Every structure is written in C-alpha cells, then in structure tokens.
C-alpha cells in the first residue's frame, strides 16, 4: 500500500507563480480530489503545484513589483456631496483604485462608491467629482449649514406660480437627508434642521390655501 501523497510546499514557503512571474508566500493549502491547491499571500485564488516553483529553484525572469501610494481624502462612512447632484448627500460605502500602465505613460484613478442618504441609491464617481461637506479640521459629521437651511425668512414665498426659493420637492429631499443623518448620529442639530424644514413646508401650504381661497 503506497504512502499518502504529501504536498510539495508548506505554509510559509516562498514560491514563484510561473503563470505571472511573481513571488509570494504560501498561506494556505487545500486538497481537492487528491490534488493540492495553494493559496498565495492570502488571496482568494488557488494555484496547482505545477504552476509554482520554489524561489531557490527558479531560474527565469521575475516581474518587478511597483509600489504605488494612493491618497484617499475621503473615507468609508463619510458624508459628501457630488458634482451635478445638487444638495443631495451621499455616504461613502466603498472605494477602489484602478491602475493604468502603458508604454511610456501611466496613471491611477480612484473611484468612490456612494449611497444617497434619502433612498439608498448607489452611484460610482471619480474622486474629482466629490465635494467635501466638512471644512478644515471639522469632522465629516459636522455638516456645513449652507445647503438650503438658514432662516425661514430667507426663503420667499412663491408668487405668480414662480418661486425664488426651494421647491417642495427640494425641501422634502433636505428633510429626508437630515432625517437619515439624525437617525445615524443622533445630533440634535440635524433634528432642528428637520423642524425648520417642516415649518417652511407648513408656511408654503398655508400660503397656497390662502391663494386658493382668494381664487
């Protein structure tokens, strides 16, 4: 009776992946139908023994690994705005960096995955389209109060079916944005903003009722 087959490599062995010409460390071993498969550098991919060679035995060419430093000005959970999306607020839920290399040139592009606070709608935008909400050393939770909320007196009532202030739909968007922020962070400032919006909506409704009665 033959002895059971043993893996050629052990966890911790430094090997060369001949498929890519890269060097890595064996971090996991699995056996499937009598074949040993190896995890390299904690990746989610598995490689067969024939694709791997011990570094001490490798005589071919290796790829030179390039170290790229990527600055991430926005972090997971941060609240931001997006160019061309008005006053809508978004939460950063993901980020990835795409690296491009061609002969004689190369660049990196950072893509952010965002979720709108009001309805959970998700979009992906490049870094240059993101507008910070916090300023200076303020945290991302301390929102700038210039979205549309200042004082109700600053919002004129609609006249002749024209409005120089926010529309009802825009006010509802603001209310929903701040409602989500209040539910997440519990900051009373957000609740006060919600109450201000409600007061403004009531004023608009009362004004419309008066105009209707006059008609």
């Amino acid at each position: 009776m033959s002895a059971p087959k043993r893996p050629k490599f052990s966890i911790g062995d430094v090997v060369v992946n001949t498929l890519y010409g890269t060097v890595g460390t064996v971090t996991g071993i699995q056996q499937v139908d009598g074949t040993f498969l190896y995890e390299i550098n904690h990746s989610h991919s598995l490689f067969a023994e024939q694709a791997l060679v011990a570094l001490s035995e490798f005589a071919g060419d290796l790829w030179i690994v390039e170290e790229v430093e990527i600055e991430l000005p926005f972090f997971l959970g941060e609240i931001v705005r997006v160019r061309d999306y008005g006053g809508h607020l978004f939460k950063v839920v993901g980020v990835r960096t795409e690296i491009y290399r061609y002969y004689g040139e190369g660049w990196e592009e950072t893509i952010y995955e965002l979720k709108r606070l009001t309805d959970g709608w998700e979009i992906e935008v490049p870094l240059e389209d993101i507008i910070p909400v916090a300023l200076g050393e303020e945290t991302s939770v301390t929102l700038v109060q210039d979205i549309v909320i200042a004082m109700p007196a600053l919002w004129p009532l609609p006249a002749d079916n024209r409005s120089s202030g926010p529309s009802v739909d825009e006010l509802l968007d603001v209310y929903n944005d701040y409602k989500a922020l209040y539910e997440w962070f519990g900051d009373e400032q957000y609740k006060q903003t919600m109450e201000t919006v409600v007061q403004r909506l009531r004023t608009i409704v009362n004004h419309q009722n008066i105009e209707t009665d006059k008609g």
Side-chain angles (χ1 to χ4, degrees), residues 50-160:
Q50 56 266 32
L52 305 175
V53 177
L55 179 60
S56 59
E57 301 174 0
F58 185 73
D61 296 326
L62 297 176
W63 290 94
I64 298 175
V65 178
E66 177 185 8
E67 293 186 3
V68 179
E69 292 187 3
I70 304 296
E71 182 179 357
L72 299 177
F74 304 102
F75 301 95
L76 295 178
E78 189 162 351
I79 307 301
V80 297
R81 296 181 188 153
V82 179
R83 193 183 313 278
D84 298 328
Y85 282 85
H88 289 281
L89 300 177
F90 293 81
K91 181 180 180 181
V92 177
V93 296
V95 60
R96 70 177 185 273
T97 299
E98 298 178 355
I99 300 175
Y100 300 87
R101 291 294 183 267
Y102 298 95
Y103 183 75
E105 63 177 343
W107 67 90
E108 299 83 36
E109 183 176 1
T110 301
I111 305 296
Y112 277 87
E113 300 171 13
L114 309 176
K115 178 179 292 187
R116 190 161 59 185
L117 296 187
T118 54
D119 55 10
W121 182 54
E122 296 187 5
I123 59 173
E124 294 184 357
V125 297
L127 172 61
E128 55 268 23
D129 284 349
I130 296 182
I131 303 172
V133 174
L135 298 177
E137 296 181 354
E138 296 175 332
T139 66
S140 61
V141 177
T142 306
L143 299 182
V144 179
Q145 296 301 304
D146 65 351
I147 296 179
V148 288
I149 305 300
M151 292 292 291
L154 298 180
W155 292 341
L157 290 170
D160 299 330

Side-chain angles (χ1 to χ4, degrees), residues 15-24 47 51-52 55 58 60-65:
V15 297
V16 176
N17 186 333
T18 59
L19 297 176
Y20 306 110
T22 55
V23 178
F47 300 93
L52 305 175
L55 179 60
F58 185 73
D61 296 326
L62 297 176
W63 290 94
I64 298 175
V65 178

